[in-house]
């Protein structure tokens, strides 16, 4: 297998039981922001949101070039709509794909089919892309490498997914479960309350399923208290900010820093 030139492989860190810190990007998808994040963000990677944003595939390719240049691993969040949506981010160079709004084991099985080459799935082989080194890797080697290195994450963010999380975690080809705390709280009837007892009960069930089947899990977290609860439950991957969060935190901190310059009318 050819050398991975990224400074941080998310999958390697997860397999080693290490913490992974990432940010998300979708509202302000810009290569310069990726470059800055790689320099000063203390991150292992980022994920590109193709569920809630209108980032086209051509722009994903450009963002992934910036990630490779900055030493950051990357993955894409995608809706569970079709084969091309699942497969194309990996061809562009994503380390994995994270599929949103999954509710049943049958849907999970379909995602595995689309994301993995035979014998694990039915993904089609195409070599003229970043993933395959633009046809510089022998096809047989590429298939083995992609099935090993490219990872599939399933989002657990609905009541239905929590109810069948043991089956989801047990599915061959699923490499990571990722909790969407906003949607999970909303579907549990407590929107905005990520640490509500109903939500922590769900987190405990997800954690137990991952521990039982030897799968890591991750989450998006907005504050240290939520992150601490998830870490106590064995969470490894933490999405700690978005592109908009960076603006909010930076502007709020700057406003506070120069509060003495505020004009009082």
């Amino acid at each position: 297998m050819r050398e991975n030139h990224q400074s941080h492989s998310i999958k390697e860190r997860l397999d080693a039981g290490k913490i992974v810190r990432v940010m998300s990007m979708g509202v302000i998808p810009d290569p310069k922001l990726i470059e800055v994040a790689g320099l000063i963000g203390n991150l292992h990677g980022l994920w590109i949101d193709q569920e809630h944003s209108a980032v086209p595939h051509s722009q994903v390719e450009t963002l992934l070039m910036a990630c490779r240049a900055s030493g950051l691993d990357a993955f894409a969040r995608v809706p569970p709509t079709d084969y091309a949506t699942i497969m194309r981010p990996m061809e562009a160079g994503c380390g994995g794909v994270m599929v949103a709004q999954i509710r049943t084991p049958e849907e999970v099985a379909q995602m595995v089919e689309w994301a993995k080459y035979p014998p694990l799935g039915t993904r089609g082989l195409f070599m003229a892309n970043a993933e395959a080194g633009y046809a510089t890797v022998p096809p047989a080697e590429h298939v083995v490498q992609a099935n090993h290195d490219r990872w599939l994450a399933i989002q657990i963010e609905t009541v239905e997914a929590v109810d069948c999380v043991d089956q989801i975690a047990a599915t061959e080809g699923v490499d990571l479960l990722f909790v969407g705390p906003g949607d999970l709280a909303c579907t549990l009837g407590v929107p905005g309350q990520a640490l509500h007892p109903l939500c922590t009960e769900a987190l405990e069930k997800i954690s137990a399923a991952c521990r039982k089947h030897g799968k890591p899990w991750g989450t998006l977290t907005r504050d240290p208290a939520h992150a601490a609860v998830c870490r106590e439950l064995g969470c490894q991957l933490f999405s700690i900010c978005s592109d908009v969060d960076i603006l909010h935190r930076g502007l709020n901190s700057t406003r506070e820093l120069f509060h003495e310059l505020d004009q009082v009318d």
Side-chain angles (χ1 to χ4, degrees), residues 107-188:
E107 289 178 320
V108 174
Q110 181 63 81
M111 299 307 109
V112 173
E113 281 284 313
W114 288 340
K116 302 291 185 178
Y117 287 118
L120 297 177
T122 57
R123 180 184 171 191
L125 180 63
F126 182 65
M127 302 293 293
N129 51 51
E131 180 189 23
Y134 294 98
T136 61
V137 181
E141 180 181 336
H142 169 65
V143 167
V144 173
Q145 178 175 295
N147 274 352
H148 180 270
D149 293 344
R150 295 293 179 262
W151 48 275
L152 175 66
I154 299 297
Q155 282 206 247
I156 307 298
E157 54 186 349
T158 66
V159 173
E160 296 93 334
V162 173
D163 286 344
C164 63
V165 69
D166 187 75
Q167 293 171 270
I168 293 174
T171 303
E172 184 179 7
V174 171
D175 302 292
L176 172 79
L177 302 190
F178 187 94
V179 177
D183 279 340
L184 181 60
C186 192
T187 60
L188 288 170

Side-chain angles (χ1 to χ4, degrees), residues 30 62 100-101 153 166 177 183 192-193 204 210 234 236 262:
D30 191 277
T62 301
Q101 293 297 319
D166 187 75
L177 302 190
D183 279 340
Q193 301 180 59
E204 290 169 359
C210 288
Q236 285 181 244
D262 287 351

Side-chain angles (χ1 to χ4, degrees), residues 158-239:
T158 66
V159 173
E160 296 93 334
V162 173
D163 286 344
C164 63
V165 69
D166 187 75
Q167 293 171 270
I168 293 174
T171 303
E172 184 179 7
V174 171
D175 302 292
L176 172 79
L177 302 190
F178 187 94
V179 177
D183 279 340
L184 181 60
C186 192
T187 60
L188 288 170
V190 289
Q193 301 180 59
L195 288 179
H196 188 280
L198 290 174
C199 295
T200 55
E201 181 181 353
L203 290 175
E204 290 169 359
K205 186 173 182 179
I206 294 163
S207 172
C210 288
R211 187 166 56 252
K212 176 181 176 182
H213 297 288
K215 303 288 177 72
W217 67 281
T219 190
L220 186 154
T221 186
R222 296 296 187 192
D223 62 76
H226 178 260
V229 169
C230 293
R231 181 62 189 136
E232 184 68 23
L233 291 171
C235 182
Q236 285 181 244
L237 187 148
F238 295 87
S239 182

Side-chain angles (χ1 to χ4, degrees), residues 59-71:
Q59 191 170 14
V60 169
E61 291 183 328
T62 301
L63 296 175
L64 291 172
M65 290 179 190
C67 287
R68 291 193 290 273
S70 302

